[in-house]
């Protein structure tokens, strides 16, 4: 049974295996009442069904086991039509994904981010001993509840008004060259604390910061240069490192006001800058970016920071034009495939 009341779905959610992750309604503890965090079509397309994923607490799980409790109504009425649309657009290419209604695309990536968090953290919180294994503080929990609230917009009509963005997040889609090696076609990274997501699906690259739109304006300046251009996966990785780093130096906690009338829920985000004279985003140390680039690209420190205090970049040529990097070097070329 779906839970109709929005507030009880959020506030009284008990995070059990028999509670729908989305609406908070009761579900059976069976396979029918489970939703895959990464959709089934995606797992099959990228041959991930039996591949392992390592969760935050270090346990390993096959991707196919990455499921969360979800009632049939939420699954069949609210989530599946978004899923179907993304799948169709994905087959058509990055431009089709980019032209999707941004609110719906946000729901799709947010379900993955929140669903993973749900599987990794919320379901393992021990209710009898709330202090144990709790790596999430109350402030983080509050932000996660806001994300859960945004997810409700797939089943409850909600009006968003955001000073700095069209949607309550910062979301960017890129064209990426697809590696021929199957193992290199898919890549996922997230940062739970700073609420960012990096997803490379063959030819489609998606970056998202669940920051109520804080990176939307600066991102329009920085990321738009590289959109619609066939990026090398390394270049897309560098963009991911930039988005993750920027989220880390955000100096504000976005302020949200939620209003409820019988017909409509309104979700308003005040100006990110607010009245504070401090810059919205701080700067970062080259050393920290080097760590981030190493994580994204798998390169050594010497490669990502050839000169102390300066990070290497793969995005531009010497004259400032966007650099084209071909896929003819290992492991991205067909040689990588032959070695499998
Ligand atoms: Zn439900």
């Amino acid at each position: 049974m779906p839970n109709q009341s929005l507030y009880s779905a959020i506030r009284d959610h008990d995070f059990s295996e028999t509670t729908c992750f989305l609406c908070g309604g009761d579900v059976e503890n069976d396979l029918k009442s489970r939703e895959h965090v990464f959709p089934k079509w995606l797992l099959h397309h990228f041959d991930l069904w039996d591949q392992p994923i390592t969760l935050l607490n270090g346990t390993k799980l096959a991707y196919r086991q990455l499921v969360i409790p979800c009632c049939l109504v939420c699954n069949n009425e609210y989530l599946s039509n978004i899923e179907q649309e993304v799948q169709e657009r994905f087959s058509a290419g990055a431009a089709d994904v980019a032209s999707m209604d941004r609110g719906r695309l946000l729901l799709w990536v947010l379900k993955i981010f929140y669903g993973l968090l749900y599987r990794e953290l919320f379901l393992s919180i021990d209710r009898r001993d709330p202090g144990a294994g709790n790596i999430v503080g109350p402030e983080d929990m509050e932000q996660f509840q806001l994300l859960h609230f945004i997810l409700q917009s797939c089943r409850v009509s909600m009006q968003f008004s955001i000073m700095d963005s069209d949607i309550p997040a910062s979301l960017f889609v890129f064209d990426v060259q697809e590696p021929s090696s199957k193992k290199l076609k898919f890549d996922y990274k997230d940062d739970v604390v700073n609420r960012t997501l990096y997803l490379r699906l063959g030819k489609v690259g998606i970056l998202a910061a669940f920051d109520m739109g804080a990176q939307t304006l600066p991102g329009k300046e920085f990321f738009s240069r590289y959109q619609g251009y066939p990026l090398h996966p390394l270049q897309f990785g560098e963009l991911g490192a930039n988005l993750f780093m920027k989220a880390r130096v955000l100096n504000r906690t976005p302020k949200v006001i939620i209003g409820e009338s019988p017909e409509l829920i309104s979700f308003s985000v005040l100006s990110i800058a607010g009245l504070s004279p401090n810059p919205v985003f701080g700067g970062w140390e080259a050393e920290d970016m080097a760590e981030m680039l190493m994580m994204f690209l798998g390169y050594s420190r010497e490669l990502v920071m050839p000169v102390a205090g300066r990070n290497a970049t793969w995005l531009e040529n010497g004259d400032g034009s966007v650099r084209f990097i071909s896929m003819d070097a290992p492991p991205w070329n067909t040689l990588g495939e032959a070695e499998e």
Side-chain angles (χ1 to χ4, degrees):
M1 271 294 288
N3 191 329
Q4 295 305 325
S5 159
L6 187 59
Y7 280 103
S8 66
I10 307 281
R11 288 197 191 135
D12 306 332
H13 207 290
D14 71 355
F15 304 119
S16 82
E17 295 282 2
T18 53
T19 303
C20 174
F21 87 99
L22 183 58
C23 74
D26 293 334
V27 299
E28 298 292 323
N29 195 355
D30 61 11
L31 273 179
K32 242 184 15 211
S33 315
R34 292 292 177 273
E35 163 87 357
H36 281 85
V37 172
F38 289 97
K40 277 189 268 185
W41 66 265
L42 187 153
L43 298 183
H44 290 305
H45 187 94
F46 293 104
D47 235 350
L48 294 166
W49 194 246
D50 294 313
Q51 294 298 314
I53 177 169
T54 307
L55 302 185
L56 283 173
N57 64 9
T59 54
K60 271 193 178 167
L61 216 61
Y63 272 95
R64 71 182 139 76
Q65 295 172 303
L66 209 56
V67 291
I68 45 178
C70 182
C71 76
L72 296 177
V73 176
C74 284
N75 205 333
N76 298 335
E77 287 185 24
Y78 305 124
L79 295 172
S80 66
N81 67 68
I82 297 177
E83 200 57 66
Q84 202 180 334
E85 183 180 354
V86 171
Q87 184 181 3
E88 281 166 17
R89 287 178 180 270
F90 165 82
S91 313
D96 263 59
V97 176
S99 64
M100 182 170 171
D101 177 87
R102 283 166 48 81
R104 279 170 70 80
L105 184 59
L106 168 61
L107 288 173
W108 187 77
V109 288
L110 182 53
K111 193 218 83 182
I112 294 176
F113 178 83
Y114 187 82
L116 203 48
L117 193 67
Y118 200 88
R119 182 78 260 165
E120 288 182 307
L121 283 182
F122 300 162
L123 285 176
S124 62
I125 292 174
D126 189 340
R127 311 252 130 225
R128 291 155 303 175
D129 184 9
N134 223 341
I135 65 164
V136 180
E139 260 188 38
D140 292 324
M141 206 58 205
E142 208 170 284
Q143 291 301 314
F144 295 148
Q145 280 179 341
L146 285 174
L147 299 187
H148 188 206
F149 206 102
I150 293 169
L151 270 180
Q152 306 296 318
S153 68
C154 72
R155 63 181 199 100
V156 179
S157 67
M158 204 177 285
Q159 190 167 39
F160 292 105
S161 63
I162 298 119
M163 282 294 283
D164 304 273
S165 180
D166 53 337
I167 52 171
S170 305
L171 181 64
F172 307 95
V173 180
F174 300 87
D175 286 82
V176 188
Q177 299 178 67
E178 186 167 21
S180 52
S181 165
K182 208 147 203 182
K183 284 180 188 158
L184 298 173
K185 286 176 193 281
F186 173 87
D187 196 7
Y188 176 84
K189 289 179 174 52
D190 66 17
D191 176 344
V192 166
V193 174
N194 296 300
R195 298 180 300 283
T196 43
L197 168 149
Y198 160 93
L199 186 57
R200 182 165 58 76
L201 303 169
K203 293 186 174 68
V204 184
I206 300 177
L207 295 180
F210 305 111
D211 59 358
M212 305 300 157
Q215 284 205 50
T216 299
L217 282 177
K220 261 183 193 152
E221 254 176 62
F222 178 69
F223 292 119
S224 63
R225 290 202 57 204
Y226 310 105
Q227 288 176 305
Y229 191 90
L231 297 173
H232 191 283
L234 288 172
Q235 294 174 303
F236 179 60
E238 185 181 337
L239 294 176
N242 269 276
L243 180 106
F244 276 45
M245 194 53 98
K246 194 122 181 141
R248 207 192 264 186
V249 298
L250 176 61
N251 286 325
R252 299 286 195 282
T253 302
K255 301 230 175 356
V256 175
I257 297 172
I258 291 166
E260 193 179 14
S261 77
E263 301 82 38
L264 194 71
I265 309 289
S266 67
F267 187 105
S268 311
V269 182
L270 305 185
S271 160
I272 300 285
L275 299 171
S276 166
N278 297 325
V280 176
F281 293 97
W284 59 65
E285 301 290 332
E287 192 63 44
D288 293 335
M289 181 52 118
E291 295 281 335
M292 191 67 93
L293 286 168
M294 284 160 71
M295 196 263 287
F296 268 89
L297 310 181
Y299 279 180
S300 67
R301 182 174 301 273
E302 294 71 49
L303 271 172
V304 298
M305 200 166 64
V307 181
R310 277 188 66 182
N311 297 123
T313 173
W314 287 264
L315 293 173
E316 291 177 4
N317 297 309
D319 64 0
S321 56
V322 179
R323 184 167 157 196
F324 175 78
I325 304 179
S326 84
M327 300 283 279
D328 60 9
W332 307 98
N333 60 356
T334 42
L335 283 174
E337 182 124 36
E339 286 160 9
E340 275 172 26

mmCIF file of all heavy atoms in Angstrom, residues 161-195:
data_model
loop_
_atom_site.group_PDB
_atom_site.id
_atom_site.type_symbol
_atom_site.label_atom_id
_atom_site.label_comp_id
_atom_site.label_asym_id
_atom_site.label_seq_id
_atom_site.Cartn_x
_atom_site.Cartn_y
_atom_site.Cartn_z
ATOM 1 N N SER A 161 10.612 26.305 -6.622
ATOM 2 C CA SER A 161 11.100 27.623 -7.031
ATOM 3 C C SER A 161 12.454 27.832 -6.374
ATOM 4 O O SER A 161 12.603 27.797 -5.161
ATOM 5 C CB SER A 161 10.100 28.721 -6.694
ATOM 6 O OG SER A 161 9.903 28.806 -5.327
ATOM 7 N N ILE A 162 13.429 27.978 -7.255
ATOM 8 C CA ILE A 162 14.816 28.023 -6.805
ATOM 9 C C ILE A 162 15.459 29.269 -7.376
ATOM 10 O O ILE A 162 15.398 29.512 -8.588
ATOM 11 C CB ILE A 162 15.566 26.747 -7.266
ATOM 12 C CG1 ILE A 162 14.908 25.510 -6.629
ATOM 13 C CG2 ILE A 162 17.026 26.782 -6.866
ATOM 14 C CD1 ILE A 162 14.360 24.541 -7.604
ATOM 15 N N MET A 163 16.087 30.037 -6.515
ATOM 16 C CA MET A 163 16.683 31.299 -6.954
ATOM 17 C C MET A 163 17.781 31.084 -7.998
ATOM 18 O O MET A 163 17.888 31.828 -8.954
ATOM 19 C CB MET A 163 17.281 32.044 -5.750
ATOM 20 C CG MET A 163 16.258 32.753 -4.892
ATOM 21 S SD MET A 163 15.459 34.112 -5.766
ATOM 22 C CE MET A 163 16.769 35.343 -5.676
ATOM 23 N N ASP A 164 18.604 30.056 -7.803
ATOM 24 C CA ASP A 164 19.809 29.950 -8.619
ATOM 25 C C ASP A 164 19.762 28.846 -9.674
ATOM 26 O O ASP A 164 20.775 28.556 -10.293
ATOM 27 C CB ASP A 164 21.020 29.719 -7.708
ATOM 28 C CG ASP A 164 21.154 30.800 -6.655
ATOM 29 O OD1 ASP A 164 21.782 31.819 -6.949
ATOM 30 O OD2 ASP A 164 20.587 30.649 -5.556
ATOM 31 N N SER A 165 18.597 28.200 -9.839
ATOM 32 C CA SER A 165 18.545 27.071 -10.758
ATOM 33 C C SER A 165 17.107 26.782 -11.159
ATOM 34 O O SER A 165 16.170 27.341 -10.599
ATOM 35 C CB SER A 165 19.149 25.842 -10.057
ATOM 36 O OG SER A 165 19.120 24.721 -10.904
ATOM 37 N N ASP A 166 16.931 25.926 -12.155
ATOM 38 C CA ASP A 166 15.587 25.507 -12.555
ATOM 39 C C ASP A 166 15.134 24.271 -11.782
ATOM 40 O O ASP A 166 13.947 23.964 -11.717
ATOM 41 C CB ASP A 166 15.547 25.229 -14.068
ATOM 42 C CG ASP A 166 16.631 24.240 -14.507
ATOM 43 O OD1 ASP A 166 17.646 24.117 -13.785
ATOM 44 O OD2 ASP A 166 16.465 23.597 -15.550
ATOM 45 N N ILE A 167 16.104 23.534 -11.231
ATOM 46 C CA ILE A 167 15.791 22.328 -10.455
ATOM 47 C C ILE A 167 16.585 22.389 -9.151
ATOM 48 O O ILE A 167 17.598 23.096 -9.078
ATOM 49 C CB ILE A 167 16.165 21.031 -11.234
ATOM 50 C CG1 ILE A 167 17.617 21.107 -11.734
ATOM 51 C CG2 ILE A 167 15.208 20.762 -12.385
ATOM 52 C CD1 ILE A 167 18.141 19.810 -12.305
ATOM 53 N N PRO A 168 16.164 21.645 -8.123
ATOM 54 C CA PRO A 168 16.872 21.744 -6.835
ATOM 55 C C PRO A 168 18.159 20.908 -6.811
ATOM 56 O O PRO A 168 18.387 20.140 -5.881
ATOM 57 C CB PRO A 168 15.835 21.231 -5.829
ATOM 58 C CG PRO A 168 14.986 20.302 -6.615
ATOM 59 C CD PRO A 168 14.949 20.818 -8.026
ATOM 60 N N ALA A 169 18.986 21.066 -7.820
ATOM 61 C CA ALA A 169 20.254 20.343 -7.917
ATOM 62 C C ALA A 169 21.047 20.972 -9.059
ATOM 63 O O ALA A 169 20.523 21.817 -9.793
ATOM 64 C CB ALA A 169 20.010 18.863 -8.221
ATOM 65 N N SER A 170 22.288 20.554 -9.216
ATOM 66 C CA SER A 170 23.095 20.977 -10.368
ATOM 67 C C SER A 170 23.372 19.729 -11.180
ATOM 68 O O SER A 170 23.912 18.763 -10.660
ATOM 69 C CB SER A 170 24.406 21.625 -9.896
ATOM 70 O OG SER A 170 24.114 22.686 -9.005
ATOM 71 N N LEU A 171 22.955 19.768 -12.446
ATOM 72 C CA LEU A 171 22.947 18.548 -13.249
ATOM 73 C C LEU A 171 23.499 18.848 -14.643
ATOM 74 O O LEU A 171 23.049 19.790 -15.291
ATOM 75 C CB LEU A 171 21.490 18.059 -13.337
ATOM 76 C CG LEU A 171 21.152 16.789 -14.096
ATOM 77 C CD1 LEU A 171 21.800 15.577 -13.433
ATOM 78 C CD2 LEU A 171 19.634 16.592 -14.121
ATOM 79 N N PHE A 172 24.474 18.056 -15.085
ATOM 80 C CA PHE A 172 25.130 18.303 -16.374
ATOM 81 C C PHE A 172 25.291 16.992 -17.139
ATOM 82 O O PHE A 172 25.684 15.981 -16.568
ATOM 83 C CB PHE A 172 26.500 18.944 -16.156
ATOM 84 C CG PHE A 172 26.453 20.177 -15.284
ATOM 85 C CD1 PHE A 172 26.689 20.091 -13.914
ATOM 86 C CD2 PHE A 172 26.124 21.417 -15.817
ATOM 87 C CE1 PHE A 172 26.616 21.214 -13.092
ATOM 88 C CE2 PHE A 172 26.044 22.545 -15.015
ATOM 89 C CZ PHE A 172 26.298 22.445 -13.644
ATOM 90 N N VAL A 173 24.986 17.044 -18.454
ATOM 91 C CA VAL A 173 25.113 15.849 -19.297
ATOM 92 C C VAL A 173 26.191 16.106 -20.352
ATOM 93 O O VAL A 173 26.244 17.194 -20.949
ATOM 94 C CB VAL A 173 23.772 15.520 -19.991
ATOM 95 C CG1 VAL A 173 23.904 14.281 -20.873
ATOM 96 C CG2 VAL A 173 22.668 15.310 -18.940
ATOM 97 N N PHE A 174 27.034 15.112 -20.593
ATOM 98 C CA PHE A 174 28.148 15.250 -21.538
ATOM 99 C C PHE A 174 28.168 14.098 -22.538
ATOM 100 O O PHE A 174 27.721 12.990 -22.236
ATOM 101 C CB PHE A 174 29.480 15.253 -20.776
ATOM 102 C CG PHE A 174 29.605 16.363 -19.774
ATOM 103 C CD1 PHE A 174 29.133 16.196 -18.477
ATOM 104 C CD2 PHE A 174 30.172 17.573 -20.127
ATOM 105 C CE1 PHE A 174 29.229 17.221 -17.541
ATOM 106 C CE2 PHE A 174 30.278 18.607 -19.208
ATOM 107 C CZ PHE A 174 29.806 18.426 -17.906
ATOM 108 N N ASP A 175 28.720 14.374 -23.728
ATOM 109 C CA ASP A 175 29.018 13.313 -24.703
ATOM 110 C C ASP A 175 30.381 12.751 -24.373
ATOM 111 O O ASP A 175 31.338 13.514 -24.228
ATOM 112 C CB ASP A 175 29.129 13.906 -26.120
ATOM 113 C CG ASP A 175 27.787 14.274 -26.685
ATOM 114 O OD1 ASP A 175 27.289 15.375 -26.357
ATOM 115 O OD2 ASP A 175 27.245 13.473 -27.444
ATOM 116 N N VAL A 176 30.471 11.443 -24.292
ATOM 117 C CA VAL A 176 31.756 10.820 -23.995
ATOM 118 C C VAL A 176 32.031 9.773 -25.070
ATOM 119 O O VAL A 176 31.111 9.101 -25.547
ATOM 120 C CB VAL A 176 31.745 10.151 -22.595
ATOM 121 C CG1 VAL A 176 33.147 9.678 -22.224
ATOM 122 C CG2 VAL A 176 31.223 11.099 -21.534
ATOM 123 N N GLN A 177 33.281 9.632 -25.462
ATOM 124 C CA GLN A 177 33.648 8.559 -26.395
ATOM 125 C C GLN A 177 33.567 7.233 -25.646
ATOM 126 O O GLN A 177 33.999 7.135 -24.502
ATOM 127 C CB GLN A 177 35.065 8.779 -26.914
ATOM 128 C CG GLN A 177 35.237 10.081 -27.689
ATOM 129 C CD GLN A 177 36.682 10.246 -28.117
ATOM 130 O OE1 GLN A 177 37.181 9.493 -28.939
ATOM 131 N NE2 GLN A 177 37.359 11.225 -27.546
ATOM 132 N N GLU A 178 33.029 6.242 -26.317
ATOM 133 C CA GLU A 178 32.795 4.959 -25.648
ATOM 134 C C GLU A 178 33.983 4.016 -25.843
ATOM 135 O O GLU A 178 34.364 3.708 -26.976
ATOM 136 C CB GLU A 178 31.526 4.315 -26.212
ATOM 137 C CG GLU A 178 31.147 3.043 -25.466
ATOM 138 C CD GLU A 178 29.744 2.563 -25.799
ATOM 139 O OE1 GLU A 178 29.218 2.945 -26.860
ATOM 140 O OE2 GLU A 178 29.189 1.809 -24.984
ATOM 141 N N PRO A 179 34.568 3.520 -24.754
ATOM 142 C CA PRO A 179 35.680 2.569 -24.899
ATOM 143 C C PRO A 179 35.168 1.275 -25.508
ATOM 144 O O PRO A 179 34.011 0.902 -25.303
ATOM 145 C CB PRO A 179 36.134 2.310 -23.457
ATOM 146 C CG PRO A 179 35.451 3.335 -22.619
ATOM 147 C CD PRO A 179 34.242 3.785 -23.354
ATOM 148 N N SER A 180 36.026 0.578 -26.265
ATOM 149 C CA SER A 180 35.556 -0.681 -26.840
ATOM 150 C C SER A 180 35.607 -1.811 -25.820
ATOM 151 O O SER A 180 34.859 -2.770 -25.910
ATOM 152 C CB SER A 180 36.386 -1.034 -28.072
ATOM 153 O OG SER A 180 37.746 -0.980 -27.738
ATOM 154 N N SER A 181 36.465 -1.681 -24.813
ATOM 155 C CA SER A 181 36.537 -2.713 -23.783
ATOM 156 C C SER A 181 35.320 -2.629 -22.870
ATOM 157 O O SER A 181 35.015 -1.581 -22.309
ATOM 158 C CB SER A 181 37.805 -2.530 -22.955
ATOM 159 O OG SER A 181 37.709 -3.290 -21.779
ATOM 160 N N LYS A 182 34.615 -3.753 -22.733
ATOM 161 C CA LYS A 182 33.370 -3.783 -21.976
ATOM 162 C C LYS A 182 33.561 -3.325 -20.525
ATOM 163 O O LYS A 182 32.726 -2.655 -19.954
ATOM 164 C CB LYS A 182 32.789 -5.206 -22.009
ATOM 165 C CG LYS A 182 31.285 -5.196 -21.885
ATOM 166 C CD LYS A 182 30.609 -6.304 -22.644
ATOM 167 C CE LYS A 182 29.170 -5.860 -22.914
ATOM 168 N NZ LYS A 182 28.386 -6.838 -23.584
ATOM 169 N N LYS A 183 34.707 -3.701 -19.966
ATOM 170 C CA LYS A 183 34.964 -3.380 -18.564
ATOM 171 C C LYS A 183 35.110 -1.885 -18.311
ATOM 172 O O LYS A 183 35.033 -1.435 -17.177
ATOM 173 C CB LYS A 183 36.259 -4.055 -18.110
ATOM 174 C CG LYS A 183 36.116 -5.535 -17.864
ATOM 175 C CD LYS A 183 37.439 -6.112 -17.421
ATOM 176 C CE LYS A 183 37.344 -7.623 -17.370
ATOM 177 N NZ LYS A 183 38.664 -8.245 -17.470
ATOM 178 N N LEU A 184 35.383 -1.135 -19.381
ATOM 179 C CA LEU A 184 35.645 0.292 -19.198
ATOM 180 C C LEU A 184 34.465 1.175 -19.594
ATOM 181 O O LEU A 184 34.551 2.391 -19.561
ATOM 182 C CB LEU A 184 36.882 0.695 -20.016
ATOM 183 C CG LEU A 184 38.185 0.000 -19.625
ATOM 184 C CD1 LEU A 184 39.292 0.346 -20.607
ATOM 185 C CD2 LEU A 184 38.587 0.373 -18.205
ATOM 186 N N LYS A 185 33.361 0.553 -19.975
ATOM 187 C CA LYS A 185 32.218 1.334 -20.483
ATOM 188 C C LYS A 185 31.411 2.005 -19.372
ATOM 189 O O LYS A 185 30.684 2.953 -19.619
ATOM 190 C CB LYS A 185 31.275 0.436 -21.288
ATOM 191 C CG LYS A 185 31.793 0.053 -22.657
ATOM 192 C CD LYS A 185 30.819 -0.917 -23.318
ATOM 193 C CE LYS A 185 31.404 -1.585 -24.534
ATOM 194 N NZ LYS A 185 31.388 -0.752 -25.745
ATOM 195 N N PHE A 186 31.497 1.452 -18.159
ATOM 196 C CA PHE A 186 30.662 1.953 -17.059
ATOM 197 C C PHE A 186 31.539 2.422 -15.915
ATOM 198 O O PHE A 186 32.524 1.777 -15.569
ATOM 199 C CB PHE A 186 29.749 0.826 -16.567
ATOM 200 C CG PHE A 186 28.962 1.158 -15.326
ATOM 201 C CD1 PHE A 186 27.726 1.796 -15.420
ATOM 202 C CD2 PHE A 186 29.440 0.823 -14.061
ATOM 203 C CE1 PHE A 186 26.987 2.093 -14.266
ATOM 204 C CE2 PHE A 186 28.707 1.116 -12.908
ATOM 205 C CZ PHE A 186 27.486 1.754 -13.017
ATOM 206 N N ASP A 187 31.190 3.561 -15.332
ATOM 207 C CA ASP A 187 31.925 4.038 -14.159
ATOM 208 C C ASP A 187 30.963 4.825 -13.275
ATOM 209 O O ASP A 187 30.184 5.637 -13.769
ATOM 210 C CB ASP A 187 33.101 4.927 -14.609
ATOM 211 C CG ASP A 187 34.131 5.132 -13.494
ATOM 212 O OD1 ASP A 187 34.010 4.483 -12.428
ATOM 213 O OD2 ASP A 187 35.060 5.937 -13.704
ATOM 214 N N TYR A 188 31.019 4.552 -11.978
ATOM 215 C CA TYR A 188 30.165 5.278 -11.029
ATOM 216 C C TYR A 188 30.985 5.696 -9.821
ATOM 217 O O TYR A 188 31.765 4.900 -9.294
ATOM 218 C CB TYR A 188 29.006 4.385 -10.549
ATOM 219 C CG TYR A 188 28.155 5.060 -9.494
ATOM 220 C CD1 TYR A 188 27.131 5.926 -9.863
ATOM 221 C CD2 TYR A 188 28.382 4.864 -8.130
ATOM 222 C CE1 TYR A 188 26.360 6.577 -8.901
ATOM 223 C CE2 TYR A 188 27.621 5.511 -7.164
ATOM 224 C CZ TYR A 188 26.614 6.366 -7.561
ATOM 225 O OH TYR A 188 25.856 7.021 -6.602
ATOM 226 N N LYS A 189 30.826 6.928 -9.426
ATOM 227 C CA LYS A 189 31.440 7.387 -8.184
ATOM 228 C C LYS A 189 30.455 8.310 -7.479
ATOM 229 O O LYS A 189 29.693 9.032 -8.138
ATOM 230 C CB LYS A 189 32.725 8.180 -8.475
ATOM 231 C CG LYS A 189 33.881 7.331 -8.967
ATOM 232 C CD LYS A 189 35.097 8.179 -9.255
ATOM 233 C CE LYS A 189 36.323 7.359 -9.608
ATOM 234 N NZ LYS A 189 36.109 6.383 -10.682
ATOM 235 N N ASP A 190 30.467 8.283 -6.154
ATOM 236 C CA ASP A 190 29.703 9.306 -5.445
ATOM 237 C C ASP A 190 30.439 9.729 -4.193
ATOM 238 O O ASP A 190 31.400 9.089 -3.768
ATOM 239 C CB ASP A 190 28.264 8.851 -5.148
ATOM 240 C CG ASP A 190 28.187 7.691 -4.166
ATOM 241 O OD1 ASP A 190 29.182 7.417 -3.464
ATOM 242 O OD2 ASP A 190 27.119 7.056 -4.098
ATOM 243 N N ASP A 191 30.013 10.860 -3.668
ATOM 244 C CA ASP A 191 30.539 11.379 -2.409
ATOM 245 C C ASP A 191 29.308 11.625 -1.548
ATOM 246 O O ASP A 191 28.536 12.554 -1.795
ATOM 247 C CB ASP A 191 31.324 12.675 -2.686
ATOM 248 C CG ASP A 191 31.817 13.339 -1.403
ATOM 249 O OD1 ASP A 191 31.329 13.007 -0.307
ATOM 250 O OD2 ASP A 191 32.704 14.220 -1.507
ATOM 251 N N VAL A 192 29.143 10.759 -0.562
ATOM 252 C CA VAL A 192 27.929 10.805 0.255
ATOM 253 C C VAL A 192 27.848 12.095 1.052
ATOM 254 O O VAL A 192 26.807 12.753 1.118
ATOM 255 C CB VAL A 192 27.907 9.571 1.195
ATOM 256 C CG1 VAL A 192 26.885 9.734 2.288
ATOM 257 C CG2 VAL A 192 27.636 8.315 0.394
ATOM 258 N N VAL A 193 28.982 12.484 1.655
ATOM 259 C CA VAL A 193 28.973 13.645 2.545
ATOM 260 C C VAL A 193 28.703 14.932 1.771
ATOM 261 O O VAL A 193 27.932 15.787 2.199
ATOM 262 C CB VAL A 193 30.310 13.731 3.320
ATOM 263 C CG1 VAL A 193 30.378 15.004 4.139
ATOM 264 C CG2 VAL A 193 30.468 12.500 4.206
ATOM 265 N N ASN A 194 29.333 15.067 0.607
ATOM 266 C CA ASN A 194 29.133 16.306 -0.169
ATOM 267 C C ASN A 194 28.067 16.150 -1.256
ATOM 268 O O ASN A 194 27.854 17.056 -2.057
ATOM 269 C CB ASN A 194 30.468 16.755 -0.765
ATOM 270 C CG ASN A 194 31.461 17.108 0.320
ATOM 271 O OD1 ASN A 194 31.212 18.008 1.120
ATOM 272 N ND2 ASN A 194 32.556 16.374 0.406
ATOM 273 N N ARG A 195 27.431 15.005 -1.272
ATOM 274 C CA ARG A 195 26.266 14.735 -2.120
ATOM 275 C C ARG A 195 26.515 15.031 -3.610
ATOM 276 O O ARG A 195 25.855 15.857 -4.222
ATOM 277 C CB ARG A 195 25.053 15.517 -1.600
ATOM 278 C CG ARG A 195 24.660 15.085 -0.187
ATOM 279 C CD ARG A 195 23.482 15.835 0.349
ATOM 280 N NE ARG A 195 23.713 17.267 0.428
ATOM 281 C CZ ARG A 195 24.445 17.864 1.365
ATOM 282 N NH1 ARG A 195 25.024 17.154 2.309
ATOM 283 N NH2 ARG A 195 24.604 19.160 1.356
#
